[in-house]
């Protein structure tokens, strides 16, 4: 997988090559696969495009996943999220940490992933700015989560929320959380 935010990732399966990358924050206009297609054309000129799609990942404020007790006051609830595009690796680490927590064992590094760690990070201010800007923008469509203005994604035909990443189909059906209801 790609380590840098602008890097690419590669996987193969039988005679298929998966090329990933060119990510964008939800609600922003992305590269629409242009970068990936030019890369494929340059490096694999005889390859034929079979499928293309966009995925969505939950990004944490400090690039480290949230793994552990959901909160200090709900010690019997556990969370594993914010894998920042490293889902396979994050899932393995989550399995180790959470199974140890449930079994009453401790791992030195578990605190690094604790969802209760400090969230005062530069990304918090970027997110705050986006939220205020999109709350104040006049729009016909508002997100049912906290009311941010929704952006039409003309490539994937969805309504996307730049505040916390909820997405809705053209007919208003919720596709991605944290919104848990359809558009009215
Ligand atoms: S306001 Fe849209 S996801 Fe939070």
């Amino acid at each position: 997988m790609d380590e840098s935010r602008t890097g690419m990732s590669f996987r193969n399966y039988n005679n298929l090559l998966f090329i990933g990358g060119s990510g964008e924050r939800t609600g922003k206009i992305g590269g629409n696969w242009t970068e990936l297609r030019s890369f494929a054309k340059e490096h694999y000129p005889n390859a034929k495009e079979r499928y293309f799609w966009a995925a969505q990942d939950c990004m944490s404020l400090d690039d480290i996943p949230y793994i552990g007790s959901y909160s200090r006051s709900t010690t019997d609830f556990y969370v594993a999220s914010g894998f920042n595009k490293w889902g396979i690796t994050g899932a393995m680490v989550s399995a180790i940490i959470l199974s140890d927590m449930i079994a009453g064992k401790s791992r030195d590094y578990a605190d690094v992933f604790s969802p209760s760690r400090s969230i005062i990070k530069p990304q918090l201010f970027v997110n705050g700015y986006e939220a205020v800007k999109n709350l104040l923008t006049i729009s016909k469509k508002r997100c049912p989560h906290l009311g941010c203005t929704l952006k039409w994604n003309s490539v994937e035909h969805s309504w996307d929320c730049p505040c916390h990443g909820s997405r809705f189909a053209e007919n208003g059906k919720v596709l991605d959380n944290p919104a848990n209801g359809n558009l009215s």
Side-chain angles (χ1 to χ4, degrees):
M1 296 298 288
D2 53 320
E3 179 276 328
S4 120
R5 284 203 189 271
T6 54
M8 290 186 180
S9 60
F10 304 89
R11 284 185 190 282
N12 66 304
Y13 176 74
N14 293 336
N15 64 342
L16 297 176
L17 173 65
F18 295 76
I19 306 176
S22 194
E24 280 298 332
R25 185 185 172 105
T26 306
K28 299 276 184 194
I29 296 170
N32 305 337
W33 303 285
T34 316
E35 188 186 350
L36 300 180
R37 284 182 174 133
S38 356
F39 178 90
K41 198 167 173 188
E42 181 182 349
H43 296 279
Y44 303 96
N46 298 322
K48 298 224 173 346
E49 182 176 305
R50 296 279 299 277
Y51 310 99
F52 66 97
W53 67 90
Q56 190 165 12
D57 274 75
C58 182
M59 314 301 274
S60 61
L61 292 171
D62 54 6
D63 294 337
I64 298 173
Y66 303 117
I67 306 168
S69 293
Y70 181 74
S71 73
R72 290 191 204 282
S73 59
T74 54
T75 48
D76 286 341
F77 292 105
Y78 299 93
V79 66
S81 182
F83 292 153
N84 303 285
K85 300 190 286 179
W86 285 68
I88 295 175
T89 313
M92 297 300 122
V93 176
S94 302
I96 294 168
I97 292 177
L98 297 184
S99 59
D100 277 354
M101 288 179 80
I102 292 165
K105 297 185 212 157
S106 64
R107 294 261 179 193
D108 290 345
Y109 55 81
D111 284 348
V112 172
F113 298 92
S114 168
S116 301
R117 66 185 183 267
S118 169
I119 58 160
I120 308 298
K121 306 286 178 206
Q123 186 62 39
L124 186 64
F125 299 102
V126 174
N127 292 357
Y129 169 75
E130 287 289 337
V132 170
K133 188 176 81 178
N134 288 293
L135 273 168
L136 298 178
T137 304
I138 295 169
S139 162
K140 279 193 290 191
K141 295 248 185 232
R142 293 259 165 211
C143 179
H145 178 226
L146 292 177
C148 281
T149 188
L150 295 174
K151 309 279 179 171
W152 175 242
N153 179 336
S154 60
V155 178
E156 295 174 78
H157 296 274
S158 58
W159 289 99
D160 298 352
C161 182
C163 288
H164 313 109
S166 290
R167 297 182 65 207
F168 306 86
E170 195 165 4
N171 64 6
K173 191 168 184 307
V174 66
L175 299 172
D176 278 303
N177 294 340
N180 57 13
N182 300 330
L183 296 180
S184 52

